[in-house]
Amino acid sequence: MMDGKALAARIREEVAAEVAGLSPIGLATVLVGDDPASDVYIRLKHKASTEVGIVSRDVRLPAATTEAELVERVRELNAAGSIDGILVQLPLPDGIDEARITAAIDPMKDVDGLHPFNAGQLLLGRPTYVGATPVAVLALLDAYAVELAGASAVVIGRSDIVGKPAALLLLQRHATVTICHSRTRDLAAEVARADVVVAAVGAPGLVQADWVKAGATVIDVGITRTEAGLVGDVAPNVEQRAGLLTPVPGGVGPMTIAMLLRNAVKAARYRAGTLAFPAS
Ligand code: NAP
């Protein structure tokens, strides 16, 4: 089992030491509406920020907020001198075009890497901000010294926030990457060829033990709330097949929070000019 919790704790310590040596770092989150899962994520992000000394601002807007009002709030945060990083929690309520909102964020403050400029930089192999979850996937693979160059990697899920950036990061590390999704004809056969499997779907127990190549590394990004607690996309018996596997909870989740903190430090460095942000 890959211990995301322990690794995240180490990274948070490193971030806290870095933050102590910098001017106050401001991270703003924007939550529209009262989705309970989003509320939990936002709380975790603020708690973690505070613990490492990052000053977080919790902007909460009613579900009835219009797209124009939300764009206006984002612009205010873009202009705020005390704010280095901005994260708009997704999903947004129906009627708000997420692409419009992410495009309104100042690319230099876009810690989730969803602005077309930052997404494009990743596509071109010159990453600026990459979302915390895909970075967490790579950090876990690196921490366990998983060989990526030449390896066959299967990413299940093609969302802009997890699947696509995770696939691009793996490609950049010279893996041979296959991206699977809901229309993939034979998911079991695709997974069976993989040395590294990244499951980012949100379908409990989708990945079965008999699909997985013996000794493969399996990263379970999925989180589904059930009566039995949080469960991932990977069936429990995969533990017997995989060489390495991330638990849910305690794998990608805590690492995602740690990587968000890293992105906030990056934001402060970009804004201070100690790290060069490419001209957009
Ligand atoms: P999403 O936007 O709903 O994307 C899900 C992807 O899974 C889509 O690309 C979809 O394909 C694909 N899919 C759906 N059913 C499938 C099936 N039966 N076989 C193969 N592919 C299938 O979700 P997301 O935002 O990427 O998140 C994915 C999961 O990760 C969720 O459980 C989420 O809660 C979790 N998550 C965890 C963290 C963390 O910190 N651990 C962070 C973010 C997300 P189509 O594109 O064809 O519809």
Side-chain angles (χ1 to χ4, degrees):
M1 279 290 180
M2 300 165 91
D3 192 345
K5 214 169 156 188
L7 186 58
R10 279 209 298 281
I11 292 168
R12 283 155 68 151
E13 271 173 32
E14 283 168 25
V15 172
E18 255 186 283
V19 170
L22 297 167
S23 309
I25 298 175
L27 175 66
T29 64
V30 182
L31 176 59
V32 185
D34 44 19
D35 176 58
S38 293
D39 178 64
V40 171
Y41 294 138
I42 289 284
R43 280 170 200 271
L44 286 173
K45 289 169 186 176
H46 283 272
K47 185 168 173 279
S49 301
T50 306
E51 278 169 11
V52 298
I54 291 173
V55 183
S56 59
R57 192 191 295 182
D58 188 358
V59 178
R60 303 247 174 175
L61 300 172
T65 303
T66 66
E67 191 175 286
E69 285 165 346
L70 183 52
V71 167
E72 192 45 42
R73 290 307 295 261
V74 167
R75 291 206 175 120
E76 282 166 25
L77 294 169
N78 286 345
S82 59
I83 299 297
D84 296 290
I86 302 169
L87 179 157
V88 177
Q89 185 70 35
L90 303 180
L92 291 167
D94 290 347
I96 300 184
D97 180 359
E98 291 181 353
R100 273 251 171 100
I101 302 307
T102 49
I105 300 171
D106 177 349
M108 206 193 275
K109 294 190 176 186
D110 169 37
V111 287
D112 259 349
L114 289 171
H115 186 285
F117 177 77
N118 293 315
Q121 288 293 119
L122 174 61
L123 183 74
L124 298 174
R126 303 162 69 146
T128 43
Y129 290 112
V130 183
T133 305
V135 174
V137 169
L138 261 285
L140 278 159
L141 293 169
D142 284 342
Y144 284 83
V146 175
E147 174 83 45
L148 295 177
S152 165
V154 165
V155 178
I156 317 172
R158 56 173 163 178
S159 70
D160 294 341
I161 186 92
V162 190
K164 278 186 217 163
L168 287 168
L169 288 174
L170 289 163
L171 182 62
Q172 206 178 7
R173 298 288 296 277
H174 312 295
T176 301
V177 183
T178 304
I179 305 176
C180 300
H181 45 76
S182 65
R183 313 282 181 94
T184 297
R185 227 164 256 154
D186 190 349
L187 187 59
E190 302 294 346
V191 169
R193 286 189 284 113
D195 303 307
V196 176
V197 180
V198 178
V201 176
L206 174 72
V207 178
Q208 298 293 314
D210 59 358
W211 298 6
V212 174
K213 191 199 266 191
T217 299
V218 181
I219 307 288
D220 191 352
V221 183
I223 299 178
T224 305
R225 273 154 221 282
T226 69
E227 278 176 11
L230 296 185
V231 294
D233 290 342
V234 175
N237 55 1
V238 170
E239 195 182 342
Q240 272 99 59
R241 289 283 287 181
L244 289 165
L245 171 66
T246 57
V248 176
V252 177
M255 281 297 286
T256 292
I257 303 270
M259 292 304 159
L260 170 65
L261 303 177
R262 274 225 173 128
N263 275 355
V265 172
K266 201 174 198 184
R269 293 195 190 282
Y270 279 142
R271 284 194 69 233
T274 52
L275 192 63
F277 192 79
S280 54

